[in-house]
């Protein structure tokens, strides 16, 4: 599989939903496979909160870990890179190369945006990606596929740019972020802001990667409560206690506590706290009907084939939320398939249980 990583730079302003703008701005993206002469074999992959443009493959044999959706994207896989030209972008606001709070506030300046970076919405992310695709001469997509926040982007593409893609495949997502998720996002954000080493966004990113940031570590641990279901916690850890810790030591740990500590401690090594705060805000703000009279009016804009994939054990974005989209689409006599995957794993099923839905993706792309 051919992998290429590129960065596109834009001088024209990117006008944001908030009324503010980014100028200049850039977006990093990765491609897999070959673009055909007609440019009609393109699939866009949209990522979740902590995802990046590196969705599949390894850059070298020395790499320990492949892209985050490597089980799905590649030669002969559900998204077959022998047939399709796959583009995976990094959203603006993220910390993997696209314009973000870590970037200079203006050309030639050594001062970063920090907390002066404008609030970014899912609609802004999608708008930036559309401008990128236009610049590449890609006027139509075979499909747009994404899970969680990536599913939000896929839905927003369908509403804002009708007929731009043949098929839209949002997974493990929602039409509107519910108050319970907004509440958890608030706690994660405040954990970061309360850490004195955050320094109101004026920290040294190199130092954060080296020393960590306790607030971000805690936020990541909180996040896992939504990513994994209670059933998965039971199966993976039970009530097992670490053999090296005393049962009646105050800070002795269950295995589940050790797991959370390990993942929390590693997170600041590869993800930035400012980006985390801004992307949490984008997720909390998400409402596909914003700008329209109601949900039905928003969904009525869709002219692409919509295929919804939810997971029965998802306790972050419940299946009922995607069933609501299906019900509204049916009332509008719009094309919409709904698949509910039997899974107890939790929200992250779309990342780790690819074998349960790969054939669904494959069949959709055959049509």
């Amino acid at each position: 599989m051919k992998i290429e990583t590129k960065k596109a730079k834009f001088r024209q302003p990117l006008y944001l939903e908030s009324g503010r703008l980014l100028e200049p701005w850039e977006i990093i993206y990765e491609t897999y496979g070959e673009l055909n002469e007609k440019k009609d074999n393109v699939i866009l992959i949209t990522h979740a909160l902590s995802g990046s443009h590196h969705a599949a493959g390894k850059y070298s044999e020395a790499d320990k870990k492949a892209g985050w959706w490597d089980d799905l994207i590649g030669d002969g896989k559900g998204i077959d890179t022998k047939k399709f030209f796959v583009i995976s972008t990094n959203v603006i606001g993220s910390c993997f190369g696209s314009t973000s709070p870590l970037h200079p506030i203006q050309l030639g300046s050594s001062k970063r945006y920090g907390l002066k970076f404008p609030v970014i919405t899912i609609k802004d992310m999608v708008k930036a990606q559309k401008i990128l695709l236009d610049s590449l001469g890609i006027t139509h997509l075979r499909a747009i596929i994404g899970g969680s926040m990536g599913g939000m982007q896929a839905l927003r593409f369908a509403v804002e740019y009708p007929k731009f893609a043949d098929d839209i495949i949002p997974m493990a997502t929602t039409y509107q972020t519910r108050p319970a998720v907004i509440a958890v996002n608030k706690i994660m954000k405040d954990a970061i802001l309360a850490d004195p080493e955050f320094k109101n966004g004026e920290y040294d990113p190199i130092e954060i990667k080296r020393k960590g940031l306790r607030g971000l570590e805690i936020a990541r641990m909180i996040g896992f409560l939504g990513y994994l279901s209670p059933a998965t916690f039971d199966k993976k850890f039970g009530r097992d206690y670490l053999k090296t810790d005393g049962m009646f030591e105050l800070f002795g740990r269950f295995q589940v506590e050790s797991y959370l500590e390990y993942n929390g401690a590693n997170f600041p090594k590869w993800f930035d706290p400012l980006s985390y705060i801004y992307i949490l805000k984008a997720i909390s703000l998400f409402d596909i009907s914003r700008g329209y009279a109601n949900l039905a009016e928003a969904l009525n804009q869709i002219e692409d084939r919509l295929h919804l994939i939810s997971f029965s054990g998802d306790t972050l974005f419940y299946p009922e939320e995607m069933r609501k989209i299906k019900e509204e689409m049916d009332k509008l006599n719009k094309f919409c398939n709904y698949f509910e995957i039997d899974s107890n794993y939790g929200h992250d099923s779309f990342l780790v249980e690819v074998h349960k839905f790969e054939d669904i993706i494959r069949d959709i792309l055959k049509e």
Side-chain angles (χ1 to χ4, degrees):
M1 179 178 69
K2 180 181 179 182
I3 304 176
E4 291 187 330
T5 306
K6 301 177 181 179
K7 182 177 287 188
K9 299 182 179 182
F10 299 93
R11 292 283 185 178
Q12 72 269 35
L14 177 63
Y15 292 95
L16 305 175
E17 198 174 359
S18 65
R20 295 184 62 185
L21 58 84
L22 291 176
E23 182 186 16
W25 59 282
E26 54 194 33
I27 190 166
I28 192 169
Y29 64 101
E30 202 155 278
T31 65
Y32 316 97
E34 299 282 352
L35 182 64
N36 64 17
E37 289 186 12
K38 294 182 179 180
K39 295 186 177 182
D40 63 358
N41 68 330
V42 183
I43 293 177
L44 178 68
I45 301 297
T46 50
H47 69 74
L49 193 166
S50 59
S52 71
H53 53 285
H54 184 44
K58 294 182 178 180
Y59 297 129
S60 70
E61 293 183 3
D63 283 357
K64 294 181 179 179
K65 194 173 182 180
W68 54 270
W69 233 355
D70 188 64
D71 289 341
L72 184 62
I73 302 168
D75 292 353
K77 298 179 183 179
I79 302 174
D80 191 349
T81 47
K82 289 184 178 179
K83 299 178 181 178
F84 300 108
F85 181 65
V86 180
I87 300 177
S88 177
T89 65
N90 182 223
V91 299
I92 55 172
S94 185
C95 55
F96 295 107
S98 297
T99 296
S100 77
L102 296 174
H103 277 64
I105 198 165
Q106 60 187 22
L107 283 176
S109 172
S110 60
K111 185 174 176 58
R112 300 176 304 160
Y113 273 105
L115 290 175
K116 292 183 180 179
F117 193 70
V119 167
I120 299 295
T121 66
I122 303 298
K123 187 174 181 179
D124 295 328
M125 296 174 183
V126 166
K127 185 177 184 179
Q129 292 172 83
K130 180 63 165 61
I131 292 172
L132 168 67
L133 294 168
D134 289 344
S135 74
L136 298 176
I138 296 170
T139 58
H140 189 79
L141 297 175
R142 177 64 190 81
I144 302 172
I145 308 172
S148 191
M149 188 184 81
M152 294 176 178
Q153 294 169 66
L155 277 174
R156 182 57 76 182
F157 257 110
V159 170
E160 300 300 325
Y161 305 103
K163 297 184 179 180
F164 182 57
D166 293 326
D167 294 288
I168 305 288
I169 311 176
M171 307 171 63
T173 194
T174 184
Y175 61 92
Q176 179 189 73
T177 302
R178 296 170 78 165
V181 177
I182 296 172
V184 172
N185 290 350
K186 160 70 173 174
I187 296 169
M188 289 194 284
K189 179 193 72 174
D190 282 3
I192 296 170
L193 295 176
D195 191 323
E197 293 303 311
F198 180 69
K199 299 178 181 177
N200 202 35
E202 299 298 323
Y203 56 83
D204 181 347
I206 296 175
E207 281 294 293
I208 294 296
K209 289 184 178 182
R210 186 177 66 86
K211 296 170 57 177
L213 186 77
R214 187 58 180 159
L216 182 57
E217 294 172 16
I218 292 171
R220 182 64 166 176
M221 289 191 281
I222 293 168
F224 268 95
L225 300 181
Y227 306 150
L228 306 182
S229 70
T232 296
F233 277 111
D234 289 344
K235 184 178 179 180
K236 286 174 71 77
F237 310 107
R239 287 182 49 83
D240 293 344
Y241 209 81
L242 287 184
K243 295 179 180 178
T244 56
D245 290 3
M247 178 72 71
F248 299 106
E249 292 176 11
L250 180 59
F251 299 108
R253 294 162 297 165
F254 288 88
Q255 285 192 7
V256 65
E257 293 177 296
S258 177
Y259 171 83
L260 292 174
E261 285 181 356
Y262 174 80
N263 282 279
N266 276 307
F267 194 51
K269 296 178 182 178
W270 59 273
F271 206 88
D272 179 75
L274 274 168
S275 283
Y276 202 72
I277 290 172
Y278 274 88
I279 295 177
L280 285 176
K281 181 68 174 183
I283 292 172
S284 293
L285 285 172
F286 179 71
D287 181 351
I288 199 67
S289 65
R290 189 169 61 249
Y292 299 91
N294 48 43
L295 178 60
E297 184 183 23
L299 296 178
N300 197 39
Q301 309 305 310
I302 298 176
E303 299 293 339
D304 318 320
R305 295 187 294 263
L306 185 62
H307 312 269
L308 307 170
I309 301 178
S310 70
F311 299 85
S312 60
D314 191 342
T315 54
L316 187 65
F317 299 130
Y318 290 83
E320 65 194 60
E321 298 173 50
M322 297 190 81
R323 286 198 294 268
K324 172 70 172 177
I325 300 173
K326 168 64 173 169
E327 292 168 5
E328 293 295 329
M329 290 290 284
D330 286 348
K331 291 177 185 177
L332 294 165
N333 292 316
K334 296 279 188 175
F335 184 103
C336 184
N337 284 326
Y338 175 75
F339 305 91
E340 187 169 320
I341 307 300
D342 184 21
S343 169
N344 287 323
Y345 192 88
H347 180 67
D348 276 0
S349 297
F350 79 96
L351 293 172
V352 301
E353 294 188 320
V354 169
H355 63 282
K356 290 188 175 183
F357 59 84
E358 181 178 15
D359 285 343
I360 294 174
I361 302 291
R362 195 189 308 273
D363 289 343
I364 291 170
L365 296 178
K366 282 180 181 177
E367 294 176 5

